[in-house]
Amino acid sequence: MKLLIANWKMAPETPKQALVLAKATVAIAKKTKKHLHLVVCVPFVYLTSVHTSVRTLVLGAQDVATTTSVASTGKISAPLIKGTGATYCIVGHSETRALGDTNETVKEKVERLLEAKLNPILCVGEKERDSHGWYLSTVKDQIESALGGVAKPQLKRFVIAYEPVWAIGSTATREATPAECTEMIMFIRKILVDMYDEKTARVVSILYGGSVSEENAEAFVTDGGANGLLVGRVSLQSKRFAKLAERISI
Ligand code: PGA
C-alpha cells in the first residue's frame, strides 16, 4: 500500500472551488483504494466544510501552533485541528521553515500533534546539494531534533517526507532523480534504525516530494524506493492528479 499526500497549500481561492476539488479527489481515492492511502492537506479554512461534505476523504492540516494557549491570535492549535475531523498534519515544510520555523519549533509542533493524537507528516530536506555530503547532516539534524522526544510506540504515527528544497514548487532548479531519492530514503531509514531499532524504523512511511508529476511519479516509488509521494501543484489539477495516482497504483 502506497501513501499519497496532496498538499493544496494556499489554494484554491474559494470554498466552492475547494468543494469541487475535494469531490474530484475523493473519486480518485475510491478508484485507487486497493493500492493507495490518500490524505489531503487542505487550508485550515476548508477543513470543516470539506470534512462535512466529503466524509470519506482523509484530511490533514498544513501547520500547527507550538502552543495550546488560547491567547494566540491568528494561530491554530492541535486540538482545534483535531476538532475539524482532520487526522494528519504537515510539520516542518520548507515553506514554513522559510517563514521562521526552526528545528526547535518543529520539535514543539510535533509534541503538540502527538498530544492531540494527530499523525505528523514531518517534512525534511536540504536547501542545496554540495559535493561533500553536508546535505546529509542537514537532514539528519532535522530528523534527530524533531524526533528527539518521541518514544518508540509513537513513531508509528509518523510519516516522513523527504522534500529537497531545490526541487519544490515553481522555483525548483531541477527535478530530483530516483537515485537521489533512494540514497536519501536509505539514509533516513538508517537514522531511524540508529535512533530506535529496525522493526520500529520499518513501520514509518518515507515519502518523496518536490515537483512530482504524473510523468515522474512512478519512478520515485519503483526505482526511487519511496513508500509514497507528497504532491503540491499537481494535486490541484484533478485530471493530472488522477493520472498520477493511477500510475503509482501498482
Ligand atoms: P510541488 O510541492 O509538488 O508543487 O513541488 C511539493 C510540496 O511543497 O509539498
Side-chain angles (χ1 to χ4, degrees):
M1 190 68 119
K2 309 264 178 344
L3 183 56
L4 178 59
I5 300 183
N7 178 11
W8 288 2
K9 306 194 181 183
M10 207 162 72
E13 267 182 18
T14 68
K16 204 171 155 197
Q17 288 168 339
L19 225 50
V20 171
L21 187 57
K23 284 185 180 151
T25 309
V26 84
I28 298 169
K30 274 189 194 143
K31 210 167 159 201
T32 53
K33 69 169 191 260
K34 263 198 202 148
H35 304 279
L36 295 184
H37 179 56
L38 182 60
V39 178
V40 190
C41 297
V42 312
F44 287 130
V45 288
Y46 301 140
L47 277 172
T48 308
S49 56
V50 168
H51 180 65
T52 21
S53 347
V54 194
R55 283 271 166 195
T56 51
L57 205 52
V58 181
L59 294 177
Q62 300 171 6
D63 194 16
V64 64
T66 52
T67 175
T68 50
S69 162
V70 173
S72 304
T73 303
K75 299 288 179 203
I76 311 279
S77 69
L80 291 193
I81 293 172
K82 183 86 177 175
T84 65
T87 45
Y88 286 81
C89 182
I90 293 175
V91 65
H93 191 282
S94 62
E95 287 157 9
T96 56
R97 289 184 195 260
L99 293 174
D101 254 2
T102 61
N103 280 350
E104 195 44 50
T105 52
V106 170
K107 180 182 197 299
E108 289 172 35
K109 290 179 177 188
V110 160
E111 285 163 4
R112 297 297 85 74
L113 293 176
L114 292 174
E115 285 159 11
K117 299 206 166 19
L118 287 163
N119 304 316
I121 302 165
L122 172 65
C123 295
V124 296
E126 76 283 2
K127 284 202 187 109
E128 51 193 50
R129 286 229 165 184
D130 57 287
S131 53
H132 303 289
W134 290 112
Y135 63 93
L136 294 169
S137 60
T138 303
V139 171
K140 188 168 190 265
D141 288 348
Q142 290 172 339
I143 294 175
E144 287 181 346
S145 166
L147 300 182
V150 176
K152 230 195 245 185
Q154 293 174 313
L155 196 71
K156 62 175 182 297
R157 287 196 168 276
F158 277 79
V159 175
I160 297 183
Y162 169 56
E163 297 206 301
V165 183
W166 46 267
I168 294 178
S170 53
T171 55
T173 49
R174 65 173 175 89
E175 284 180 14
T177 64
E180 288 168 330
C181 173
T182 315
E183 176 205 50
M184 193 56 91
I185 283 174
M186 284 168 63
F187 181 66
I188 293 173
R189 192 79 68 194
K190 168 83 170 59
I191 297 170
L192 298 179
V193 171
D194 291 346
M195 289 182 79
Y196 299 90
D197 55 53
E198 212 175 308
K199 200 172 150 219
T200 314
R202 241 182 241 276
V203 299
V204 179
S205 288
I206 306 178
L207 315 186
Y208 174 77
S211 296
V212 175
S213 68
E214 66 280 35
E215 306 299 336
N216 62 16
E218 193 179 336
F220 286 120
V221 297
T222 51
D223 312 338
N227 303 124
L229 301 167
L230 202 167
V231 183
R233 283 158 297 163
V234 171
S235 69
L236 296 166
Q237 300 172 50
S238 310
K239 278 197 187 133
R240 293 183 66 192
F241 194 54
K243 238 183 234 164
L244 187 160
E246 208 176 286
R247 296 225 169 123
I248 61 163
S249 295
I250 36 178

